[in-house]
Amino acid sequence: MAFRLTITDTRHPDFSYQCGFIQGQIAIGRAQICDLCLPDLTVCPMHAEIRLQGHHYTLVDLSSQNGTLVASRKLIPHRPTKLASNDEITIAHYRIVFESGTHPSAIGKQAIGQCAHDLLHRRLAHQGHLAHVTPTLLGLSGPGRGARFTFVQTGDSATMGRTRHNAIPLDDPEVTSAHAAVQWQDDGQLMVRDLGSRNGTWCNGERCDSFALVPGLTFAVGQTTFGLEDPVAAALQDIQLAPHEATVPFVPDIPTPAPHATDANDAETAPASPATPDDDHVAPPPAAPSPVATLPTGVTEPSLDVPGTRDSQAPQHDNDAAPKEESDIGLILVGTAIIVMLVLFLIWFLG
């Protein structure tokens, strides 16, 4: 059974991407191994799965930190929930519409990877992170793979060749000492020029003396292939390789309720200031505040000594307690005297 997912970043709802699948189970998350990569740290590396069970698909949340919703209902982790066509899945900032039995419009690893790239590119561009990115020349394959040169300002030039004085030295017998140069011109273009090399500089399978280097275009110097580094691809890799502990808590944007609108007629008839009551309608005096309401913030209400909580007879009980204590002391003294007299009498009688 085939199904299609339409992915929309709710921060940029004007753009959506469709991916098709024919396998019985797909993993959704931010990790590189996921079948559907959502490039955001609010998504767990392995967030959820869509599984084929019998004749229908189910969605399973994999104990994700920020949860998974279907039709605004949060899923219980590891409990499969049946999916119906046109169900809406929500994972952090992403809204995903599930369509079962539809012909996939885009399918395969390349299409899935392009989806993650385009989603992240749209967000970075909208946030202005790509506006001031300077181009970087990158060795993609061959002896110079991994070599990088970042252009700082217009007019900068990077030469490549076999000698060490080049910005990009290449240990390649097919490369001459000064083979080619790339310059960032004032009009913003990167121009590649062959410097009269023996084996030439090749672009799109053709030997070229000079050409403009644009994103996606590659050229060969000897056995090394060069191209422009994609800043989105680098950012995407950082997100995909981030550990589970790097997951950021997601707090959905809850719209603030609008204030209660006052009726127009009430607004017109309401007095601008409190009216002075007449003799027949005197307003009652305001009620005395509760003792609890007057307590300072952070102070708990005492259980016994709050003014006004004891009845009027309480002081009399305190006054009656004093004579009772005096009578008890007198009885103790009398008892002590009797005991002393008995002891003295026994000493005299026995002596």
Side-chain angles (χ1 to χ4, degrees):
M1 292 177 62
F3 65 93
R4 182 171 61 195
L5 300 177
T6 303
I7 304 100
T8 304
D9 189 334
T10 56
R11 294 163 292 189
H12 319 293
D14 57 328
F15 172 77
S16 61
Y17 203 96
Q18 290 187 336
C19 295
F21 302 89
I22 56 175
Q23 58 264 48
Q25 179 173 322
I26 69 164
I28 303 174
R30 73 164 185 264
Q32 198 169 19
I33 61 174
C34 288
D35 301 286
L36 175 59
C37 177
L38 301 178
D40 200 299
L41 290 178
T42 56
V43 180
C44 288
M46 298 294 290
H47 198 105
E49 285 183 349
I50 294 179
R51 303 171 182 171
L52 178 63
Q53 293 185 348
H55 299 288
H56 61 268
Y57 283 99
T58 61
L59 178 66
V60 182
D61 179 83
L62 302 178
S63 294
S64 62
Q65 177 175 324
N66 294 316
T68 305
L69 285 75
V70 176
S72 301
R73 290 181 289 106
K74 190 172 183 178
L75 302 187
I76 299 175
H78 298 289
R79 179 178 294 183
T81 298
K82 184 178 179 180
L83 287 174
S85 194
N86 296 319
D87 270 350
E88 186 175 288
I89 304 168
T90 303
I91 296 178
H93 295 286
Y94 298 97
R95 184 176 66 249
I96 306 169
V97 178
F98 171 84
E99 297 176 86
S100 178
T102 58
H103 181 72
S105 55
I107 195 168
K109 272 290 184 183
Q110 184 175 0
I112 303 304
Q114 190 64 36
C115 170
H117 183 279
D118 290 351
L119 287 170
L120 184 58
H121 183 276
R122 178 62 60 109
R123 189 168 87 244
L124 294 178
H126 186 270
Q127 294 172 348
H129 294 312
L130 303 180
H132 306 289
V133 174
T134 56
T136 298
L137 189 65
L138 180 65
L140 303 176
S141 64
R145 181 179 181 180
R148 300 174 75 253
F149 182 86
T150 300
F151 297 87
V152 178
Q153 57 187 358
T154 55
D156 284 353
S157 178
T159 59
M160 53 194 69
R162 205 162 54 185
T163 57
R164 293 187 176 275
H165 71 270
N166 291 285
I168 304 177
L170 299 172
D171 186 11
D172 185 346
E174 297 184 11
V175 174
T176 55
S177 57
H179 196 108
V182 182
Q183 186 178 28
W184 192 11
Q185 297 185 329
D186 293 339
D187 58 1
Q189 282 191 325
L190 286 172
M191 292 299 299
V192 181
R193 292 183 299 106
D194 184 82
L195 300 178
S197 63
R198 182 176 64 253
N199 295 320
T201 302
W202 298 75
C203 177
N204 288 337
E206 296 183 359
R207 184 167 180 168
C208 301
D209 292 332
S210 65
F211 55 91
L213 181 61
V214 296
L217 184 66
T218 61
F219 66 96
V221 173
Q223 299 178 13
T224 302
T225 301
F226 288 95
L228 286 177
E229 183 180 56
D230 185 355
V232 178
L236 178 61
Q237 187 176 32
D238 291 341
I239 293 174
Q240 291 176 333
L241 298 180
H244 181 82
E245 294 75 17
T247 305
V248 177
F250 172 70
V251 180
D253 295 330
I254 302 176
T256 304
H260 180 70
T262 305
D263 187 81
N265 296 329
D266 294 342
E268 293 177 359
T269 57
S273 60
T276 304
D278 54 26
D279 296 337
D280 296 333
H281 300 85
V282 178
S290 165
V292 177
T294 59
L295 292 175
T297 303
V299 178
T300 58
E301 180 185 1
S303 57
L304 295 176
D305 297 331
V306 178
T309 59
R310 311 175 86 181
D311 61 1
S312 58
Q313 300 300 323
Q316 296 181 7
H317 295 306
D318 294 340
N319 295 335
D320 293 343
K324 183 177 179 180
E325 293 177 359
E326 294 177 358
S327 62
D328 292 342
I329 295 174
L331 291 175
I332 293 172
L333 293 176
V334 172
T336 304
I338 293 173
I339 293 172
V340 171
M341 292 177 64
L342 287 175
V343 172
L344 294 175
F345 174 74
L346 289 175
I347 295 174
W348 173 80
F349 180 76
L350 296 175

